[in-house]
Amino acid sequence: MEDCLFCKIIAGEIPSKKMYEDEEMYIFCDIDPKAPKHYLMVPKAHFARLEEMTDEQAAVLGKCLKKLPSLTGLLGLENGYRLIINQGPDAGQTVFHLHVHILAGKKMAWNPA
Ligand code: AMP
Ligand code: ZN
């Protein structure tokens, strides 16, 4: 996908702090962390929003989520973590390649306001 920041990061055209990669996903450190540990889990196949997600992409996203518990040691998530998908303007989505934020490293307040 042309002009997609995360496609460029996955392709290695823009540098990132990679934490994990397999055939279907790429996990790297958020450049502007909102918690002591803040990663982005990005399915490699580009799509912007859940509304556009195909059955195949849904299966891939499910596999990414299923894989995450096996990566807790690597990512330092043993004490728990929060997953967030920002969708659209009210949520503040800024990058239109679907991604899951992984936040960890402190006890987090529940209210996102
Ligand atoms: P969202 O606002 O949910 O679309 O999330 C986009 C995230 O991408 C934000 O948390 C940004 O801090 C992060 N981000 C933007 N540019 C980069 C980059 N070059 N490397 C790593 N993270 C980035
Ligand atoms: Zn993309």
Side-chain angles (χ1 to χ4, degrees), residues 6-88:
F6 287 175
C7 282
K8 287 181 179 162
I9 285 176
I10 291 163
E13 292 164 16
I14 291 175
S16 65
K17 186 159 183 241
K18 178 167 93 171
M19 300 300 293
Y20 175 79
E21 180 176 17
D22 62 24
E23 318 79 65
E24 282 161 331
M25 70 160 145
Y26 191 88
I27 299 178
F28 59 105
C29 294
D30 197 293
I31 205 166
D32 180 18
K34 314 298 188 297
K37 290 171 186 158
H38 185 172
Y39 310 111
L40 299 170
M41 180 169 73
V42 185
K44 286 185 174 178
H46 179 100
F47 65 103
R49 298 177 189 82
L50 291 173
E51 287 90 331
E52 298 163 17
M53 185 166 64
T54 64
D55 288 347
E56 194 183 339
Q57 289 161 343
V60 168
L61 186 59
K63 279 172 77 176
C64 296
L65 292 171
K66 193 165 190 305
K67 179 89 192 176
L68 193 52
S70 72
L71 302 175
T72 51
L74 177 74
L75 300 174
L77 306 177
E78 294 91 342
N79 226 26
Y81 52 93
R82 178 169 293 166
L83 303 181
I84 294 175
I85 298 175
N86 288 325
Q87 280 268 116

Side-chain angles (χ1 to χ4, degrees), residues 93-104:
Q93 184 178 8
T94 57
V95 177
F96 293 91
H97 178 138
L98 191 111
H99 52 281
V100 181
H101 294 261
I102 304 170
L103 299 164

